[in-house]
Amino acid sequence: MKTDGFEIRVRGQVQGVGFRPFVWQLAQRFGLRGEVLNDAEGVLIRCDRLDDGFVRAVSAEKPLLARVDTVEVSAAEVEVGEGFVIAASGAAGAETRVTPDAATCADCAAEVYEDGRRRGYAFTNCTHCGPRFTILKALPYDRGQTTMAPFEMCVDCAAEYADPADRRFHAQPVACPVCGPKVWMEPSSGSEPIAEAAERLLVGEIIAVKGLGGFHLCCDATNADAVAELRRRKHRPTKPLALMASMEIVERFAVVDAASEALLSDPAAPVVLLPKAGDLPDAVAPDQNRLGWMLPYTPLHHLLLDAVERPLVMTSGNLSGEPQVIGNDEAREKLGRFADAFLMHDRDIARRLDDSVERADPPMILRRARGRVPETLPLPGGFRDAPQVIAYGAHVKSAICLIKNGQALLSHHLGDLDDALTWEEFVEADADYAELFDHKPQVAACDLHPDYRSSRHAAGKGLPLVEVQHHHAHLAACLGENGWPLDGGHVAAIILDGMGLGPDQTVWGGEVLLGDYREYERAAWLRPTPLVGGDMTQKEPWRNALAQLDLAGLPLADDLFPDKPLAMARMAMEKGLNCPLSSSAGRLFDAMAACLGICAGGQSFEGEAAMTLEALAENAAPATPYPFGGAHEIDPTPLWHAVAEDVSLNTPRETMALRFHLGLAKAFADQAKRLIAEGKADTVALSGGCMQNGLLLGLLQRELDGIRVIHHTKTPANDGSIALGQALIAAAQSM
């Protein structure tokens, strides 16, 4: 029967999260007649009358994994029966969002340990938890479009799936031991698989464990020999290893405050950097003050940790520099040299996703991946009429970004495009995201550097192309994440990172920009210094120290690096051979680290020297900042003279590291404050990879006390958010 009524449109992350049964239960509570259904735009509710309490509850009481962006109410003629029903889905489409994978909820975790048909079952899940994006092949999100399609539901699971009152109503990965995926060991002694894996781990073996977004290499984190052997096999000498444990065990080995506990327990289940507290082998994270911890996020992880009762190393299962392994055959081929055995299962992974890495204090995302993707960000005010845009990001820490219908979708972390397999993954992700989200871009954006693989890829798309300066993209990404309106005016932006090509064809990396989405100017910068050996300076910090010290008129490099080819390097600088000029703050960090004997000869991973320098500084007693000179061009010469004096006085390395951080923060904050005092801006934005240094970020905020400061909390400050900035700049210039 048709009658005058209302339609309520709910937009956001509202499919695959139990939203329809939630609405159905609300309707019973408020006595409404009508229906609720999924369609291409989200969730549509049709009801016979309007109840303000019902409308408020749709947002206020939403399911755990849901995100409601808007609730739109309009009068309409509706078909209603005697009660309220969940109707069949409407037209397929990609106007709504896909839910990220979510950690096992409390109800499912309890069910795994209680008597019942899912006791001990490693794939227990419901609408509030479990795999989503990693099993999705195509939209709409139905079981037949996922890697669960081969597993036909048994009678009991089908009954749960069909019951609106059950928490498994339309949970696409629903399964049980009768009908779902299975787990096994290779090789196997015939014992129960998880128990056998635990036994092997407890005697020091390394196990490849299949997770949600790929394989991990796993060992007993309390066993120094096992950790050392894992490092030896993987050729990973110093890069910190991620750890997994129950909350009770994490608290034995780390400082866990309320914010960190909340982040660890978030459905995204990221790796969270926490201060060390207990006694684990130094080899887990050499020379670092923090360890990366995550809680178990699948029933398999819960069962394995329960069996070993100790923390486990859980590092990405891959060859050095390659993407994480996801397939069983691929794991056998590539991880056989690393692993003594495999804990396998037969649910395929549709999309490889690394673990997200985050900090709670200060809050930041260092790597945006499993659990966070494919969440979208609402575009700031003024971008409502933005065209569909595709942006291809940077070359290292690559990601892509799509703009459509007032939302920005920043992809998962893809990696270094110099690696052939990562490049293949990048190209596949471009096609994958376009198909999944029905994206038809009208404009493409890329980095200004023409030799980035991402830039060449963008140029080949046949679309109008916007080339974006690297640090302008950092600025725009920070603005966009913080909802800065299109016409919000200029900000003073402190951008500190490794390297990005400037319009003057020099390499930038330490700038204060004045700008917005549409334009920018370089208001201050770190004095350019030769990169001795070009790209080699990123790997060998002594080269940066030599250039800085010589330019400051100091012979200190001869004493600090007597075993290095200094004469040859100086000749190259004199003749300008492969010595491009750079204002990089990242290379300044490397130079300071080298002067303190940190990674002088070489870094085994990107950022090692800077991370160790930060850790040293955090252990220092209060100190005074090193001085910098100059005006618009920030001159580090006074810094190096002060460093030379401290070296002669045998000043503790910790004090010198802190003085460096203090001086750098003050030098750049002073330039931003100058722009504020001149009335050119009233807000300071902080971006660039160096802002992932929590100490530096805090010092800058302290120096800028009393001024509005915005920085990254939802997207990485490093190049992982460059694509977002590029997309916003291209959109702004296209409207």
Side-chain angles (χ1 to χ4, degrees):
M1 177 182 72
K2 286 198 171 184
T3 184
D4 290 339
F6 295 88
E7 285 189 348
I8 303 172
R9 160 68 62 199
V10 187
R11 302 183 191 275
Q13 189 170 284
V14 291
Q15 293 188 9
V17 294
F19 209 91
R20 289 176 301 161
F22 156 70
V23 170
W24 179 82
Q25 291 168 2
L26 277 185
Q28 314 302 315
R29 192 169 100 202
F30 285 93
L32 300 181
R33 293 185 300 153
E35 63 180 6
V36 59
L37 58 104
N38 284 340
D39 65 8
E41 297 182 57
V43 165
L44 181 62
I45 304 166
R46 297 187 178 108
C47 50
D48 60 336
R49 59 185 177 81
L50 191 63
D51 188 300
D52 290 341
F54 173 81
V55 175
R56 285 195 298 271
V58 165
S59 294
E61 301 176 26
K62 65 184 185 298
L64 178 66
L65 301 182
R67 192 182 92 197
V68 174
D69 291 340
T70 60
V71 178
E72 304 160 4
V73 180
S74 59
E77 190 176 65
V78 298
E79 184 88 31
V80 296
E82 290 301 314
F84 195 91
V85 299
I86 296 175
S89 296
E95 305 306 313
T96 188
R97 252 94 80 221
V98 177
T99 308
D101 301 87
T104 305
C105 69
D107 288 336
C108 285
E111 194 173 3
V112 169
Y113 293 102
E114 295 170 351
D115 290 336
R117 65 194 191 91
R118 290 191 176 89
R119 181 178 177 82
Y121 186 53
F123 304 93
T124 301
N125 65 84
C126 68
T127 53
H128 306 306
C129 68
R132 297 293 195 277
F133 196 43
T134 52
I135 62 170
L136 180 66
K137 290 183 173 180
L139 290 176
Y141 176 57
D142 292 322
R143 192 180 183 96
Q145 305 269 49
T146 73
T147 60
M148 285 297 296
F151 303 98
E152 185 176 348
M153 280 184 274
C154 66
V155 172
D156 290 334
C157 285
E160 293 169 332
Y161 182 87
D163 182 1
D166 195 287
R167 79 174 197 276
R168 292 191 167 90
F169 177 75
H170 281 208
Q172 305 306 334
V174 64
C176 74
V178 173
C179 63
K182 304 288 192 291
V183 62
W184 68 89
M185 281 292 296
E186 291 183 11
S188 175
S189 65
S191 302
E192 191 279 326
I194 293 174
E196 183 177 350
E199 290 170 6
R200 288 174 173 270
L201 289 166
L202 291 173
V203 297
E205 291 192 9
I206 297 166
I207 308 295
V209 179
K210 190 175 184 181
L212 276 184
F215 277 80
H216 288 104
L217 290 170
C218 177
C219 73
D220 176 0
T222 68
N223 186 328
D225 291 338
V227 175
E229 180 62 14
L230 174 57
R231 286 199 177 278
R232 186 191 68 78
R233 292 184 189 180
K234 201 178 177 187
H235 303 291
R236 185 174 174 175
T238 56
K239 190 173 184 181
L241 300 169
L243 301 166
M244 180 181 283
S246 66
M247 185 70 80
E248 179 184 0
I249 290 178
V250 172
E251 289 172 337
R252 292 184 207 165
F253 294 99
V255 178
V256 184
D257 59 15
S260 297
E261 182 176 0
L263 187 55
L264 283 164
S265 304
D266 189 274
V271 175
V272 180
L273 300 187
L274 301 173
K276 291 181 179 179
D279 185 21
L280 285 176
D282 290 339
V284 171
D287 299 320
Q288 299 302 311
N289 296 336
R290 290 175 177 77
L291 298 176
W293 292 93
M294 56 183 158
L295 300 185
Y297 55 83
T298 72
L300 187 151
H301 293 140
H302 279 275
L303 293 164
L304 184 60
L305 287 168
D306 188 57
V308 297
E309 296 184 308
R310 60 186 63 183
L312 296 175
V313 167
M314 282 280 183
T315 189
S316 294
N318 60 341
L319 299 174
S320 182
E322 289 189 2
Q324 191 174 15
V325 168
I326 62 173
N328 292 351
D329 288 340
E330 182 187 16
R332 295 180 186 106
E333 175 190 350
K334 292 187 174 182
L335 302 183
R337 73 188 75 172
F338 304 140
D340 297 303
F342 297 83
L343 187 58
M344 297 280 209
H345 62 72
D346 56 354
R347 184 179 66 201
D348 288 342
I349 298 171
R351 192 171 288 98
R352 75 184 80 224
L353 288 181
D354 287 309
D355 297 311
S356 291
V357 182
E358 307 185 16
R359 290 176 75 154
D361 181 25
M364 64 174 69
I365 292 179
L366 288 86
R367 182 170 70 197
R368 190 171 180 271
R370 178 196 50 76
R372 298 299 182 195
V373 178
E375 285 181 345
T376 61
L377 298 167
L379 295 184
F383 281 92
R384 185 176 63 180
D385 298 325
Q388 291 192 31
V389 177
I390 178 69
Y392 288 106
H395 189 76
V396 180
K397 296 182 178 66
S398 63
I400 63 177
C401 184
L402 293 68
I403 281 182
K404 179 181 178 183
N405 292 347
Q407 299 286 327
L409 173 60
L410 182 63
S411 80
H412 59 289
H413 166 83
L414 292 166
D416 185 346
L417 299 185
D418 277 332
D419 177 75
L421 293 178
T422 302
W423 171 245
E424 289 179 14
E425 193 82 4
F426 178 90
V427 175
E428 289 174 8
D430 184 20
D432 178 33
Y433 276 87
E435 181 178 357
L436 274 179
F437 298 96
D438 192 24
H439 193 248
K440 298 178 175 60
Q442 300 160 265
V443 180
C446 68
D447 194 273
L448 185 64
H449 199 305
D451 294 330
Y452 281 2
R453 273 186 148 178
S454 53
S455 298
R456 296 199 299 266
H457 182 73
K461 300 299 286 187
L463 294 167
L465 185 63
V466 178
E467 296 175 324
V468 180
Q469 200 280 322
H470 192 85
H471 301 89
H472 187 203
H474 272 303
L475 184 163
C478 186
L479 294 182
E481 175 185 324
N482 285 279
W484 191 266
L486 178 61
D487 294 321
H490 287 177
V491 300
I494 300 174
I495 314 295
L496 305 177
D497 73 349
M499 294 188 289
L501 182 66
D504 59 358
Q505 298 303 298
T506 66
V507 181
W508 291 12
E511 329 300 324
V512 179
L513 303 182
L514 180 67
D516 57 14
Y517 300 106
R518 294 189 178 96
E519 60 185 8
Y520 72 96
E521 63 178 274
R522 195 184 190 198
W525 55 91
L526 197 60
R527 182 204 63 198
T529 302
L531 297 173
V532 185
D535 289 343
M536 287 299 294
T537 57
Q538 299 180 64
K539 299 176 182 178
E540 298 181 354
W542 70 266
R543 296 172 179 270
N544 301 291
L546 170 66
Q548 291 284 352
L549 292 168
D550 278 15
L551 208 58
L554 293 164
L556 189 58
D558 297 281
D559 296 327
L560 294 176
F561 317 114
D563 59 335
K564 302 303 177 189
L566 302 183
M568 186 180 299
R570 284 172 170 141
M571 184 183 300
M573 280 195 287
E574 183 181 342
K575 296 184 177 182
L577 299 175
N578 196 22
C579 291
L581 291 175
S582 173
S583 61
S584 170
R587 301 293 77 80
L588 190 70
F589 266 91
D590 290 348
M592 184 66 203
C595 288
L596 298 184
I598 300 167
C599 305
Q603 303 188 73
S604 69
F605 65 92
E606 185 191 10
E608 179 180 7
M611 288 171 58
T612 306
L613 192 67
E614 178 189 4
L616 265 182
E618 289 177 331
N619 296 330
T624 57
Y626 279 137
F628 282 75
H632 296 285
E633 184 171 278
I634 301 168
D635 184 2
T637 296
L639 155 76
W640 296 116
H641 281 269
V643 166
E645 182 179 2
D646 273 350
V647 169
S648 69
L649 295 172
N650 292 316
T651 301
R653 295 195 313 159
E654 293 82 358
T655 300
M656 295 175 69
L658 179 57
R659 294 191 71 191
F660 173 80
H661 282 80
L662 290 164
L664 188 67
K666 185 178 187 307
F668 276 89
D670 284 350
Q671 294 296 328
K673 287 191 285 189
R674 172 177 59 81
L675 295 175
I676 301 292
E678 292 172 356
K680 295 179 178 178
D682 62 9
T683 300
V684 178
L686 307 176
S687 190
C690 294
M691 298 303 173
Q692 295 191 152
N693 179 320
L695 174 62
L696 178 65
L697 180 64
L699 292 174
L700 280 164
Q701 290 174 307
R702 189 177 76 182
E703 290 286 342
L704 295 165
D705 186 45
I707 298 171
R708 184 186 178 195
V709 176
I710 58 176
H711 58 93
H712 295 266
T713 57
K714 303 181 187 72
T715 67
N718 64 25
D719 285 3
S721 65
I722 281 284
L724 171 63
Q726 292 171 349
L728 290 166
I729 290 168
Q733 294 181 4
S734 301
M735 288 192 293

